[in-house]
Amino acid sequence: MAVYTDITEIDLKHFLAQYEVGELTSYKGIAEGVENSNFLLHTTKDPLILTLYEKRVEKSDLPFFLGLMQHLSERGLSCPLPLPRRDGELLGELSGRPAALISFLEGMWLRKPEAKHCREVGKALAGMHLAGEGFEIKRPNALSLEGWKVLWEKSAERADEVETGLEAEITAELAYLEAHWPKDLPAGVIHADLFQDNVFFLGDELSGLIDFYFACNDLLAYDVSICINAWCFEKDGSYNVTKGSALLEGYCSVRPLSDEERDAMPVLARGSALRFFLTRLYDWLTTPEGALVVKKDPLEYLRKLRFHRQISSVAEYAPAIEVAP
């Protein structure tokens, strides 16, 4: 469920009067997503997405998110584009929430992606990393090592309710990652949440990337590791080496990974699996029964984390291809 704040037709029409978007003909809430309230609008000109930014999103971060989408679009990346108001501002207010109008991106996300789709995701991610160069606003990654510690402190005492021995296991994992986390790899703007529902396809052709509200500055190869976790495992938890090879091949065809990035991939993949395990664990333990938000199983990412502990080389993710420059 992703409509946390309701809107009225009268308020919406008043809001739209600040834009050159035509007259409202219909609107409806969008059920997908977890951070903000989203609506699909139809007007006499074009369909649009209306986003109301909820309390979990810092208003001070919005210039980064909206400016980044503009920057990426201007450099050829297919992504939603925030629309300016008549006064040139990108951000307004509706129903007591910061709000923006975003262009509508054609396409749909894939429930059962194949290796050919993973290859296109790799290409698009590398294209985004290159397009992000020169974006002047900076946003640190709040969900990196220090952020993981904060999340874990809020969940550790109850972790064994989810699985016996979990508190000791994750405490040791955090210590390992802090000791081995790479510091000198190429960095820049990353998406940080490029899951299947944030990539649109028209048929087999990737039509664009959406939902940049976790985007930040961090290691580029860390973003690749997030995609390995998000795209290359099957529903039964098994790693699909064909998909992994395709994703890395696609990425490296646009932006080759350095030797140092390749060497760090197993550790980065452990870190990105831990990141999503911890946010899921926190929500699992703190979301009240009966809430409209669907809780996601944290154990899915615990199993992925345990898989990555057995990996010693990037070649085990993609043995059939050469991913070095």
Side-chain angles (χ1 to χ4, degrees):
M1 180 68 176
V3 176
Y4 304 102
T5 299
D6 199 9
I7 59 176
T8 69
E9 184 175 350
I10 292 174
D11 288 343
L12 178 55
K13 286 183 175 180
H14 179 73
F15 177 81
L16 293 178
Q18 303 170 76
Y19 296 82
E20 295 282 357
V21 295
E23 298 296 322
L24 179 69
T25 58
S26 67
Y27 72 99
K28 65 177 180 178
I30 299 173
E32 294 171 346
V34 296
E35 291 293 317
N36 303 306
S37 294
N38 296 288
F39 299 84
L40 173 62
L41 313 183
H42 287 279
T43 75
T44 51
K45 287 189 175 180
D46 298 298
L48 300 167
I49 299 295
L50 167 67
T51 297
L52 276 62
Y53 299 99
E54 299 295 344
K55 294 179 181 179
R56 291 177 69 172
V57 176
E58 294 289 341
K59 187 175 181 179
S60 59
D61 284 333
L62 294 178
F64 176 91
F65 298 140
L66 299 176
L68 176 61
M69 286 188 276
Q70 278 193 320
H71 178 91
L72 295 174
S73 179
E74 289 170 358
R75 283 154 182 78
L77 186 81
S78 179
C79 66
L81 186 63
L83 276 62
R85 305 191 314 178
R86 296 179 193 273
D87 62 5
E89 295 294 324
L90 297 178
L91 193 64
E93 184 175 301
L94 180 59
S95 299
R97 296 281 187 266
L101 279 183
I102 311 292
S103 63
F104 180 79
L105 186 67
E106 293 285 351
M108 60 185 296
W109 68 273
L110 302 176
R111 270 65 174 178
K112 295 181 178 180
E114 301 174 18
K116 59 186 176 183
H117 305 121
C118 294
R119 181 175 290 104
E120 295 307 306
V121 170
K123 290 179 181 178
L125 181 67
M128 185 207 132
H129 289 167
L130 295 179
E133 294 176 357
F135 184 56
E136 295 183 353
I137 307 176
K138 306 297 181 185
R139 180 178 183 264
N141 187 358
L143 290 172
S144 59
L145 271 168
E146 293 305 313
W148 302 341
K149 293 179 189 176
V150 173
L151 275 173
W152 180 234
E153 288 170 1
K154 295 177 180 179
S155 305
E157 289 186 358
R158 296 183 57 196
D160 282 13
E161 297 175 20
V162 177
E163 183 178 295
T164 302
L166 198 52
E167 181 177 3
E169 179 180 356
I170 298 304
T171 298
E173 182 68 23
L174 274 168
Y176 176 88
L177 290 174
E178 186 168 25
H180 294 86
W181 198 250
K183 297 179 175 61
D184 298 322
L185 300 181
V189 176
I190 70 169
H191 187 283
D193 194 41
L194 202 61
F195 279 66
Q196 292 171 23
D197 55 352
N198 288 331
V199 182
F200 280 7
F201 283 84
L202 287 170
D204 289 332
E205 184 176 349
L206 193 150
S207 60
L209 310 183
I210 69 167
D211 199 350
F212 290 84
Y213 300 114
F214 283 102
C216 56
N217 295 88
D218 208 331
L219 304 178
L220 301 180
Y222 173 66
D223 220 11
V224 179
S225 79
I226 291 174
C227 286
I228 289 174
N229 277 308
W231 288 85
C232 303
F233 286 83
E234 299 302 324
K235 290 190 180 299
D236 64 2
S238 62
Y239 177 72
N240 187 317
V241 70
T242 304
K243 290 182 178 179
S245 295
L247 189 143
L248 288 169
E249 180 186 58
Y251 185 91
C252 292
S253 70
V254 177
R255 180 191 169 268
L257 292 166
S258 68
D259 288 343
E260 292 77 13
E261 288 175 307
R262 297 174 69 217
D263 292 343
M265 195 59 67
V267 171
L268 294 170
R270 284 172 68 165
S272 56
L274 180 66
R275 172 261 186 266
F276 289 100
F277 166 76
L278 288 173
T279 50
R280 288 185 175 197
L281 177 67
Y282 177 77
D283 288 344
W284 189 268
L285 294 172
T286 60
T287 301
E289 293 298 325
L292 292 176
V293 176
V294 177
K295 297 190 291 186
K296 296 181 179 179
D297 182 9
L299 294 181
E300 175 188 350
Y301 271 81
L302 180 64
R303 291 188 288 270
K304 292 178 181 180
L305 171 58
R306 290 168 175 167
F307 169 83
H308 295 304
R309 288 197 193 118
Q310 312 305 314
I311 301 297
S312 60
S313 166
V314 71
E316 294 177 66
Y317 294 121
I321 63 169
E322 176 59 57
V323 297

